Amino acid sequence: WHHELICQIIQGLFEDWERGQDDDTFKQRITQAILNVPPGSLKSRLIAVFFPVWAWLRRPGWRCICLSVNEDAAMRDARDSRNLIKSDWFQSMFTPDWTIKLDQDANSNYGNTKGGVRLSRASGSEIVGLRGDALLVDDANNPKEAESKLVREHVNELYTTNIHNRVNHPEKSLRIGIQQRTHAEDWTGYIIKHYGQ
């Protein structure tokens, strides 16, 4: 049941964003969301693999920045997402009128021929100069470092100073996070305290 709920939330956020692109008078209900689920709940697949592909089927020009707990996870999800797009099943099922660009086809940065871009980085990386229609954060905290106040504060400070504002439109772009809780003062706790509405 939680898979369906997560998908409904993400789809609702995207559809609001999409409507806001077509209607300047439309006020999006929610632009920021954080979802907490235990490990092994398919969270990375839903937010970092399937969602960007689904969004490109709706809006191929959509641009997202995908952040994950470490470089390996970020690259794994980017690769899986791209492999899904290139699969014979996907191509025959959806027949998109776009393809992955030949000159922009790296795990960390690939785009499509309709202007869509997916940038993938570790959550502790610098992303200065990059912007997207959405920030997707999958497990900002490493559970192995949950007890380190210094590491938690670094993750939280980096989000405020370097990540939160890396969107195309401060009021309309989406910021979606999903993670397991690791500490009362982890990234989720920080977001609720400082960005909660």
Side-chain angles (χ1 to χ4, degrees):
W1 64 267
H2 70 279
H3 297 156
E4 184 175 351
L5 179 61
I6 291 169
C7 291
Q8 287 174 351
I9 291 168
I10 296 170
Q11 181 175 340
L13 289 166
F14 183 84
E15 287 175 347
D16 261 18
W17 172 84
E18 192 174 33
R19 185 171 169 193
Q21 300 303 296
D22 298 328
D23 180 357
D24 287 337
T25 65
F26 178 69
K27 175 75 171 151
Q28 290 170 238
R29 295 168 289 179
I30 301 171
T31 58
Q32 301 183 89
I34 190 156
L35 309 164
N36 296 127
V37 292
S41 299
L42 212 68
K43 59 183 171 30
S44 297
R45 307 294 288 175
L46 292 173
I47 192 122
V49 177
F50 304 141
F51 173 49
V53 175
W54 177 83
W56 273 3
L57 288 172
R58 299 280 298 252
R59 289 275 176 159
W62 186 70
R63 304 168 69 88
C64 67
I65 299 174
C66 299
L67 305 173
S68 193
V69 67
N70 59 51
E71 196 76 15
D72 288 343
M75 295 306 107
R76 175 203 66 203
D77 294 338
R79 183 178 57 251
D80 288 351
S81 196
R82 185 181 56 192
N83 287 345
L84 174 61
I85 291 169
K86 290 183 172 183
S87 71
D88 292 339
W89 172 84
F90 181 88
Q91 292 297 318
S92 64
M93 176 67 70
F94 299 106
T95 59
D97 61 352
W98 48 267
T99 60
I100 299 293
K101 291 178 70 173
L102 295 177
D103 62 348
Q104 189 179 1
D105 191 9
N107 277 346
S108 61
N109 178 0
Y110 58 85
N112 66 45
T113 52
K114 293 280 189 171
V117 172
R118 179 202 170 114
L119 301 167
S120 301
R121 303 284 190 275
S123 58
S125 301
E126 295 287 330
I127 59 169
V128 175
L130 307 176
R131 293 199 182 274
D133 297 309
L135 290 173
L136 307 178
V137 181
D138 173 28
D139 274 338
N141 299 105
N142 185 335
K144 295 177 182 176
E145 301 170 327
E147 295 303 318
S148 170
K149 182 177 180 181
L150 186 64
V151 172
R152 289 193 315 269
E153 288 179 348
H154 173 71
V155 169
N156 296 338
E157 181 181 343
L158 190 61
Y159 183 78
T160 295
T161 59
N162 184 50
I163 296 172
H164 183 262
N165 65 345
R166 307 314 304 169
V167 291
N168 289 329
H169 194 292
E171 287 85 37
K172 292 187 175 185
S173 295
L174 300 176
R175 296 173 182 94
I176 305 171
I178 192 166
Q179 76 170 143
Q180 59 174 303
R181 292 304 306 265
T182 56
H183 191 279
E185 296 175 357
D186 63 7
W187 182 70
T188 291
Y190 179 80
I191 293 297
I192 292 169
K193 182 177 179 180
H194 295 277
Y195 296 96
Q197 297 176 359

